[in-house]
Amino acid sequence: MKTTTMPIIGALESSLLIRRHPANPVLDAARVPYPTALVFNAGVAKLGGRYIMVFRNDYGSLEKQIIGPSHTTDLGIAFSDDGIHWTAGPKPVFKLCDEEIIRAYDPRLTVIDGRCYMCFAVDTQHGIRGGIAVTDDFESFDIVSLSTPDLRNMVLFPERIGGNYVRLERPFTVYSRGGVDRFDTWISESPDLIYWGRSGLLLAVEQVPFANDKIGPAAPPVKTNKGWLTTFHAVDIDPARGKNGWEPSWKKRYTAGIMLLDLDNPKKILGMSASPLLVPEADYETDGGFRNDVIFPGGMVLEEDGEVKIYYGAADTVECLATAHVDDLIRLCLEG
């Protein structure tokens, strides 16, 4: 199968409906009480009136702009009373590494029936797997299931729909889509969080005007009276971007999109913003990071007053917060 080259995406701007919080970044390596370098791509949930964040740690040195080997990556935890000011726990809380597993990373949190479930990616010697774990105390995590390769991003809906658990996911369809990046968002169901099926394509990269490389799930969906509101990440490549970070080569830009799914049938998209919700523009998103021009939402909290808190990793280096009103986001989806 031959995949045609998609056109270069030009300049983009964030929606006027979204506001970066003045406290950004809300968490970085300097506020973690153990040596780490990159604190980003966190999952966030609100449980019992308290905000919980599980974030990715990549070790190394910010000053020297180097990171440690992949097997050193683990997950840290932080707590907050207001969702803005965070206190990191004294030590990492989750790590997978053995002869087969290289690391676990990029957690996503969803509260279902009062329990906190965590989706995560797992690099192994034989491909990238998607994992689901559950915790009641945020000290121990029981692994519920691990997918076959290659499944990189997964997020769970916060309740059963039609009797089944539902997740959004992004398979790594490299060879079957022409040997280049062309990743899309899929949706699957499960009776028990272990066995998954009834899978279908939800949103393809060519359907997103601000992507020419790949898309995938971002923060887990939140329930509104109009539908399931959910973010997705959209990636475009431009060779002119050059190095653009610590890495020897980084020509991608990660933006955040938003869409609304049907409450009873989330395989149906009710609407999607034709332009990005959030684009790298602030200095902590565009300069000095491990990979500049990266925004990756991993957590979304809908407050009782209608405020939506969107937590996102910036430049693969720090964790940030942006806010909007739920009615504005729904209107953005439905009006395109």
Side-chain angles (χ1 to χ4, degrees), residues 5-13 182 204-215 234-241 251-256 274-276 278-280 293:
T5 300
M6 299 178 68
I8 297 295
I9 308 293
L12 297 170
E13 295 181 352
R182 285 293 184 271
V205 61
E206 61 269 22
Q207 295 175 271
V208 178
F210 46 95
N212 68 5
D213 181 61
K214 56 187 175 182
I215 63 165
V235 182
D236 71 280
I237 289 180
D238 185 345
R241 292 197 182 106
K251 306 179 189 306
K252 298 177 182 177
R253 173 177 54 183
Y254 277 66
T255 62
S275 56
L278 201 55
V279 173
D293 295 338

Side-chain angles (χ1 to χ4, degrees), residues 59-126:
Y59 294 85
S61 171
L62 282 166
E63 293 74 19
K64 297 179 181 178
Q65 296 193 349
I66 57 173
I67 59 171
S70 295
H71 69 267
T72 61
T73 295
D74 57 30
L75 306 183
I77 194 163
F79 300 98
S80 173
D81 292 327
D82 59 9
I84 300 168
H85 303 91
W86 293 86
T87 300
K91 60 182 180 180
V93 294
F94 190 84
K95 181 180 177 69
L96 296 179
C97 185
D98 57 25
E99 291 184 356
E100 170 63 17
I101 295 177
I102 300 168
R103 62 176 175 177
Y105 57 104
D106 288 1
R108 304 284 175 264
L109 304 182
T110 302
V111 176
I112 306 174
D113 296 332
R115 306 190 76 193
C116 190
Y117 292 84
M118 181 175 76
C119 294
F120 51 96
V122 186
D123 287 351
T124 80
Q125 301 290 352
H126 297 88

